[in-house]
Amino acid sequence: DEATLQEQFDATIAADRRIEPRDWMPEGYRKTLVRQVAQHAHSEIIGMQPEGDWLLAAPSLRRKAVLLAKVQDEAGHGLYLYSAAETLGADRADLTDKLIEGRQKYSSIFNYPTPAYADVGVIGWLVDGAAICNQVPLCRSSYGPYARAMIRVCKEESFHQRQGYELLMTMMRGTDEQRAMVQDAVDRWWWPSLMMFGPPDDESPNTAQSMAWGIKRHTNDELRQRFVDMTVPQAQALGVTLPDPDLAWDESSGHWRFGAIDWAEFARVLAGDGPKNAERIARRRAARDDNAWVVEAATAYARKHERGAA
Ligand code: ACO
């Protein structure tokens, strides 16, 4: 009965073992996972757009090949994650519709523009760096398919982070104009990168339950602090200034202290009012609608073969 199943589930979580698709799970656990995994998948897919804008304008064949590989990796991450959501009973087409209709979220970070080529480097360094901080602990998430997907995703994100940092290093060794371009991009992306980790712990409705279920392993503020501590020395090595006058080393705690985040801006972006929200969704909608015939043709072909095999 349900009480026994719940006991088995609790024991699996307590022993830090994985829940697999065929296992019984509480409805709240399933719902929370679908919400987080779908939001994560949507972020990977929408996240192709800001950098995808530079594919036709990358300054050399080498840079173009690297960027193309990176953007394709993001598509792959989206596909693994939609597959993980499907193991929970979700339907991929339905998730896409929910994204387009604004009923499911995607990461706030992808609603900011990429006006300069240095943005490609800064996204790799800061945005993918933040993604790694957030996602490495998810390799130990209690839901098996999600945790396993994260292993490969994190390996690829590490490559993305390094390519971004290497790009910025190259630009910093270039002209004054290039250095100014990097600094300007850092100034625009720093605060939104800190917002990626989600609201502060005391305003995060989902963290406590998600941690009790072993879906999340750390709180939003813990991971944000880890990211700042990791990134400040990298900024120093790069020779850029992080746009926060309150950033200071705190000897007693062994952490970098940072200034107040503009949570009103975060709320605006989540509500759909960021600089690029409308454009990102319009493009995703057009991709779904313009390519519907491909899906229909592939589905018809698969049906025909199923009948043939029967
Ligand atoms: N952008 C958009 N929405 C956000 C963000 C963000 N940066 N941070 C939090 N939210 C949303 C949450 O989804 C939640 O809304 P919902 O209940 O409608 O889903 C609400 O704000 C409150 O936040 P929390 O209670 O803290 O939510 P949660 O426990 O899910 O934590 C977090 C948010 C940390 C983003 C978590 O979902 C997570 O770790 N997700 C997996 C990683 C991920 O999605 N990364 C995507 C960006 S990285 C990349 O793709 C390169």
Side-chain angles (χ1 to χ4, degrees):
D1 62 345
E2 178 128 347
T4 318
L5 292 167
Q6 176 77 50
E7 258 171 45
Q8 283 168 354
F9 172 86
D10 292 343
T12 304
I13 297 290
D16 210 8
R17 290 198 307 268
R18 300 286 164 267
I19 303 294
E20 295 297 338
R22 286 186 185 84
D23 295 341
W24 181 90
M25 58 187 87
E27 207 35 46
Y29 179 84
R30 183 189 302 276
K31 273 203 181 125
T32 296
L33 270 167
V34 171
R35 176 182 66 75
Q36 177 166 327
V37 175
Q39 176 177 309
H40 195 166
H42 298 329
S43 303
E44 302 284 357
I45 297 298
I46 295 285
M48 295 166 76
Q49 292 188 35
E51 291 182 281
D53 285 341
W54 281 98
L55 283 175
L56 295 180
S60 70
L61 185 60
R62 175 174 171 268
R63 292 292 175 193
K64 184 173 174 137
V66 171
L67 185 58
L68 194 57
K70 200 219 140 168
V71 172
Q72 284 177 334
D73 285 351
E74 307 295 359
H77 298 174
L79 297 184
Y80 311 144
L81 288 162
Y82 284 126
S83 297
E86 283 179 325
T87 68
L88 292 156
D91 174 77
R92 189 183 302 200
D94 176 56
L95 297 179
T96 298
D97 291 346
K98 285 190 170 122
L99 163 69
I100 291 170
E101 289 156 18
R103 289 188 287 134
Q104 278 179 347
K105 297 186 172 79
Y106 60 92
S107 182
S108 51
I109 194 72
F110 299 119
N111 293 304
Y112 292 86
T114 43
Y117 180 65
D119 291 316
V120 169
V122 171
I123 289 178
W125 174 40
L126 295 180
V127 175
D128 297 323
I132 293 168
C133 259
N134 167 269
Q135 289 168 27
V136 165
L138 294 174
C139 296
R140 292 184 293 111
S141 187
S142 60
Y143 188 57
Y146 189 36
R148 289 189 289 273
M150 281 302 112
I151 295 172
R152 177 160 174 183
V153 167
C154 285
K155 285 186 178 155
E156 292 179 350
E157 292 297 351
S158 300
F159 153 65
H160 299 169
Q161 203 262 356
R162 279 155 202 236
Q163 69 81 33
Y165 198 73
E166 189 268 346
L167 194 167
L168 296 178
M169 271 291 185
T170 306
M171 289 184 85
M172 292 303 285
R173 283 194 297 261
T175 63
D176 285 346
E177 208 181 346
Q178 284 174 306
R179 274 185 287 276
M181 198 195 285
V182 172
Q183 183 61 57
D184 177 65
V186 170
D187 291 346
R188 285 181 288 108
W189 289 93
W190 174 247
W191 290 106
S193 298
L194 296 188
M195 294 175 196
M196 282 176 72
F197 294 90
D201 291 348
D202 53 7
E203 285 165 42
S204 164
N206 301 302
T207 293
Q209 180 62 72
S210 285
M211 285 181 64
W213 275 328
I215 296 173
K216 280 167 85 162
R217 295 293 182 175
H218 302 281
T219 72
N220 299 354
D221 284 332
E222 280 167 12
L223 294 173
R224 190 168 10 249
Q225 182 66 58
R226 189 179 285 186
F227 173 69
V228 171
D229 290 343
M230 178 183 101
T231 307
V232 172
Q234 294 173 354
Q236 289 167 340
L238 200 53
V240 295
T241 309
L242 297 172
D244 178 359
D246 295 326
L247 197 63
W249 175 248
D250 177 20
E251 192 67 57
S252 62
S253 67
H255 291 296
W256 285 91
R257 291 288 157 231
F258 50 96
I261 294 172
D262 182 356
W263 292 113
E265 176 179 322
F266 179 69
R268 273 199 307 278
V269 173
L270 255 62
D273 199 17
K276 289 280 179 181
N277 295 57
E279 192 179 312
R280 300 290 183 242
I281 290 297
R283 210 193 253 182
R284 185 66 194 84
R285 180 189 296 276
R288 179 194 62 183
D289 296 348
D290 296 349
N291 298 320
W293 68 272
V294 179
V295 177
E296 279 163 29
T299 309
Y301 182 78
R303 288 235 174 84
K304 194 170 125 187
H305 277 256
E306 266 167 32
R307 276 201 303 274

